[in-house]
Amino acid sequence: MNLNDLTVNDTEKIALDDLFFSDENKSALLQIIKEHQYIEELKKYNLKVDNKILLHGSSGCGKTTTAKAIANTLNKKIIIVNLSTVIDARIGETSKNLKAIFDKAIRERAVLFLDEFDQIGKSRDSDDKDVGEMRRLVNTIIQLFDYFPSDSLLICATNHYEIIDTALLRRFQLRLKYEMPSENQLNVYYDKIVSGFPLHLQNIKRKYDISYAEALDYIHTKMKKLIIEELELVQQ
């Protein structure tokens, strides 16, 4: 398979301040970013920067946008890989694809974002019928992790933290959990979303117990309906 079919070079610019997550997560991510901004100075003291992050938790709560924001803040290209597209029936091909992806990220000193990490990082102790194949794949990933240079940044995301191999988990210097937003957090997010629309359209009934992504889709769907209705009234 062509390497370009496996990766996406995303150009969307997202600022870290535009993200909504816990203060604890934000503080940890800012520390990582600062380490990479001062990487040369830290090297003088033989201090290695943290460069492997695992984002885990609820879907739609900002894991992908976090990776984009980090890359944007560091002024680095981001290479996005959905690992469900990398899996091949032949384990050797999957390992080959992964090595090519890692080589590309290292060569370009890019942020490498591996989404759905559980697709390849499943525990070697699982009851999977192909456990022998999975062990070989996880061993390959461990080697790729161990030789990943400090001037590149690896970010992985999963909704299934509990099935990731423990040897892989240990290699992440930072593991951040993303949880569903509270009602107050969603209200802050809703306020930000609707602020870009006319005042008379901002009083939309709000939904809760949903993710940030679902809230954004919900507001945009409602806004489109209201705007189209107004346009049709003007045309009558």
Side-chain angles (χ1 to χ4, degrees):
M1 186 178 290
N2 190 298
L3 185 59
N4 291 328
D5 296 331
L6 301 174
T7 63
V8 176
N9 291 316
D10 196 281
T11 58
E12 183 180 7
K13 300 296 183 184
I14 297 176
L16 204 61
D17 288 339
D18 292 337
L19 301 185
F20 289 79
F21 43 43
S22 70
D23 291 339
E24 183 181 355
N25 283 2
K26 187 169 186 177
S27 176
L29 290 170
L30 285 173
Q31 173 64 25
I32 288 271
I33 288 169
K34 287 178 181 178
E35 288 183 17
H36 281 265
Q37 288 172 332
Y38 293 100
I39 188 171
E40 294 304 322
E41 289 81 357
L42 293 173
K43 280 181 180 178
K44 295 174 184 178
Y45 297 93
N46 293 319
L47 293 171
K48 293 183 178 180
V49 300
D50 292 343
N51 69 333
K52 301 178 190 71
I53 306 171
L54 179 65
L55 310 178
H56 63 97
S58 302
S59 178
C61 290
K63 295 188 289 295
T64 301
T65 49
T66 294
K68 292 178 181 179
I70 291 172
N72 182 45
T73 304
L74 292 173
N75 197 28
K76 286 178 175 284
K77 178 190 293 186
I78 184 168
I79 298 172
I80 298 175
V81 183
N82 186 318
L83 288 171
S84 62
T85 65
V86 177
I87 302 298
D88 193 280
R90 292 170 297 176
I91 207 73
E93 284 300 311
T94 299
S95 297
K96 181 181 176 182
N97 289 338
L98 284 171
K99 187 177 185 308
I101 290 167
F102 271 73
D103 286 346
K104 175 180 172 67
I106 293 168
R107 187 168 59 249
E108 299 178 2
R109 294 186 176 180
V111 172
L112 176 57
F113 178 61
L114 303 181
D115 199 10
E116 296 191 29
F117 185 64
D118 48 278
Q119 292 283 331
I120 62 167
K122 191 182 300 182
S123 172
R124 289 167 289 182
D125 296 325
S126 71
D127 295 328
D128 196 299
K129 64 180 181 180
D130 297 321
V131 67
E133 299 282 336
M134 185 55 68
R135 281 176 179 159
R136 286 193 288 276
L137 179 56
V138 171
N139 288 337
T140 295
I141 301 165
I142 288 173
Q143 290 178 355
L144 291 171
F145 273 36
D146 287 347
Y147 289 101
F148 197 67
S150 59
D151 59 359
S152 294
L153 184 59
L154 173 66
I155 305 174
C156 300
T158 179
N159 300 337
H160 304 287
Y161 179 90
E162 68 283 354
I163 68 173
I164 302 298
D165 192 90
T166 54
L168 282 171
L169 288 177
R170 287 196 300 269
R171 281 162 169 79
F172 291 102
Q173 299 106 339
L174 186 61
R175 288 171 273 179
L176 301 181
K177 185 175 183 180
Y178 282 62
E179 299 180 303
M180 292 289 281
S182 66
E183 186 172 315
N184 287 337
Q185 288 172 321
L186 275 174
N187 278 329
V188 173
Y189 188 59
Y190 278 130
D191 289 343
K192 180 178 176 61
I193 298 171
V194 301
S195 66
F197 296 96
L199 192 61
H200 70 282
L201 297 179
Q202 293 183 16
N203 192 28
I204 291 178
K205 182 180 178 181
R206 298 180 175 189
K207 291 174 65 175
Y208 299 98
D209 296 319
I210 59 176
S211 69
Y212 289 120
E214 289 170 320
L216 181 63
D217 289 342
Y218 168 70
I219 291 295
H220 281 180
T221 298
K222 286 288 187 181
M223 282 296 181
K224 286 184 286 187
K225 184 175 183 295
L226 291 172
I227 291 170
I228 290 170
E229 286 175 352
E230 284 195 347
L231 291 171
E232 288 180 337
L233 281 174
V234 170
Q235 292 172 0
Q236 288 178 1

